[in-house]
Amino acid sequence: MVIPVHDVNPARRVPWVTYALIVANFVVFLRTPGLAGSVAGESGLAQLCRLEAFLDQWAAVPRELIHDRLPQLVPTGRVGIGPAGPGCLVGPPVYDKSPPLSALTAMFLHGSWLHLLGNMLFLWIFGDNVEDRLGHVRYLLFYGVCGYAAVYGFALINADSGAPVIGASGAVAGALGAYLVLFPKARVWVLVPFLIFLPLRLPAWSVLGLWFGLQAVYSYGAGVSQAGTVAYVAHVIGFVAGALIAWPLRRGTPAPPEPQGLLWGRRARPGTPWQGRSHPGW
């Protein structure tokens, strides 16, 4: 998989909503019980139990979303000793949980630094231009709609699953789908792992098309040994939702600027001047 690092597509206005979403995701991650210890290098059963209880309360659980009812016993966040040894205690829930609202709160929860940084990198690179095209308020609504579509779509396919679904991946995938529809020819700088990380500038349709194709393949469990630990199908649903919402706006979208620097393909044919300087934004 290529790693995007920058797109040659400057926005006309400051993407305040994108910035706010990134900050909110980092703040929630750092304040998530059980994860603060992992940031400091701590680990243990107590940390796991706290995290399990927190996610059970705030993450989206497919069978809760579909059947709209909570389990009778949930993790309490405390450690106990049972016949099989130490473990996390369970008991009746002491909180009121709204399954539909959990689909929203789950968008701001992440299970690891890698999970968080991957989502925020894609949102940082591609979200600003989608926000620029939609406007701040419509972009925020768009982000939420894509996230809900991804979570509920995954829940419909896995209606009996009790595993918590967390992450901004579905909503971010919606931004990627919209970007592909609105700016397919924009150039994206990527790092390609080939012995070393090789920097290349590729059109957005190839970068995001490859990403979507891999998610579709992974959603069927092909090419990965633990496909069930990542909700790839939610990525696919979010991406499609974002593309469909953005489709009516594609005709009025200004074209991205022509990239400067080294050109590839037919644009590098004889007669095309070569400009040996990089883009100011890179």
Side-chain angles (χ1 to χ4, degrees):
M1 182 61 186
V2 299
I3 303 173
V5 292
H6 173 68
D7 67 330
V8 187
N9 192 9
R12 298 168 298 173
R13 68 188 95 184
V14 179
W16 293 117
V17 175
T18 297
Y19 293 164
L21 289 170
I22 292 174
V23 170
N25 276 278
F26 272 99
V27 170
V28 171
F29 180 81
L30 293 175
R31 295 183 62 86
T32 299
L35 286 180
S38 65
V39 173
E42 303 172 4
S43 63
L45 182 59
Q47 174 187 328
L48 176 63
C49 292
R50 291 196 302 271
L51 178 59
E52 190 177 69
F54 181 82
L55 294 181
D56 192 82
Q57 180 177 358
W58 298 105
V61 179
R63 65 187 176 199
E64 295 176 4
L65 293 174
I66 300 303
H67 303 295
D68 196 27
R69 69 173 178 271
L70 302 180
Q72 295 181 345
L73 297 175
V74 298
T76 64
R78 299 192 300 272
V79 177
I81 305 295
C88 299
L89 292 176
V90 296
V94 295
Y95 51 81
D96 244 350
K97 179 180 181 180
S98 167
L101 183 60
S102 71
L104 174 62
T105 56
M107 296 181 205
F108 295 90
L109 303 176
H110 293 83
S112 68
W113 276 107
L114 183 62
H115 188 198
L116 173 67
L117 293 175
N119 280 337
M120 295 304 100
L121 173 65
F122 276 81
L123 184 60
W124 173 274
I125 294 173
F126 300 106
D128 60 338
N129 294 106
V130 179
E131 179 180 351
D132 189 35
R133 181 66 181 90
L134 297 179
H136 303 308
V137 176
R138 287 200 300 175
Y139 174 71
L140 182 61
L141 293 174
F142 163 86
Y143 185 90
V145 168
C146 291
Y148 264 87
V151 171
Y152 269 93
F154 179 83
L156 286 171
I157 298 173
N158 302 272
D160 295 323
S161 173
V165 179
I166 60 174
S169 304
V172 174
L176 303 186
Y179 193 101
L180 177 61
V181 168
L182 298 174
F183 309 102
K185 297 181 180 180
R187 293 299 195 271
V188 180
W189 280 101
V190 300
L191 297 177
V192 180
F194 184 74
L195 300 180
I196 60 172
F197 283 101
L198 181 66
L200 291 177
R201 190 174 63 199
L202 302 174
W205 64 263
S206 65
V207 176
L208 298 179
L210 173 62
W211 183 90
F212 177 74
L214 288 175
Q215 305 308 301
V217 171
Y218 291 167
S219 67
Y220 287 98
V224 289
S225 58
Q226 295 181 343
T229 61
V230 179
Y232 289 108
V233 69
H235 303 176
V236 172
I237 295 172
F239 188 97
V240 172
L244 291 176
I245 294 173
W247 188 262
L249 302 175
R250 69 194 190 283
R251 291 188 180 277
T253 302
E258 287 294 323
Q260 299 174 354
L262 186 61
L263 303 178
W264 299 89
R266 64 182 181 83
R267 298 200 60 212
R269 66 184 183 272
T272 300
W274 179 77
Q275 299 173 340
R277 57 189 179 91
S278 60
H279 188 273
W282 170 239

